[in-house]
Amino acid sequence: EGAAQVVMGFEMVGRQLQDFLTQSGVELVSGEGADFDPNLHEAVQQEESLDVPEGQVLRVLRKGYRLKERLVRPAMVVVSKAPAV
């Protein structure tokens, strides 16, 4: 029971921190399904995909953040590419 209360306390603090950051103007950089933008994303890998158009974000490996339109940290992403013929 004590461990459950500690976990619940951490979750509450996490929600409060997230609310504070949102109110301060911090927002997530667009992720999966977005077009790759070198101003917002750091591409660390490319993967062939038949389902996703070339140049779109397949996966986000590390979230990116902006603070009032200023990039704080780019999102680390995997980008789709056309399959080899």
Side-chain angles (χ1 to χ4, degrees), residues 16-83:
Q16 290 174 340
L17 178 60
Q18 185 63 45
D19 290 344
F20 171 76
L21 291 173
T22 301
Q23 291 171 1
S24 298
V26 175
E27 57 187 42
L28 284 172
V29 170
S30 58
E32 288 183 23
D35 289 335
F36 174 74
D37 181 347
N39 297 309
L40 300 175
H41 304 115
E42 177 183 354
V44 294
Q45 184 178 349
Q46 282 189 312
E47 282 185 15
E48 293 181 353
S49 176
L50 295 172
D51 302 324
V52 178
E54 187 169 20
Q56 281 193 351
V57 175
L58 287 174
R59 285 189 311 282
V60 176
L61 303 177
R62 184 185 72 191
K63 294 178 182 178
Y65 297 95
R66 288 192 297 205
L67 175 60
K68 299 179 181 176
E69 300 301 318
R70 182 175 178 207
L71 186 65
V72 176
R73 179 174 83 175
M76 187 181 294
V77 298
V78 177
V79 180
S80 66
K81 69 176 181 177

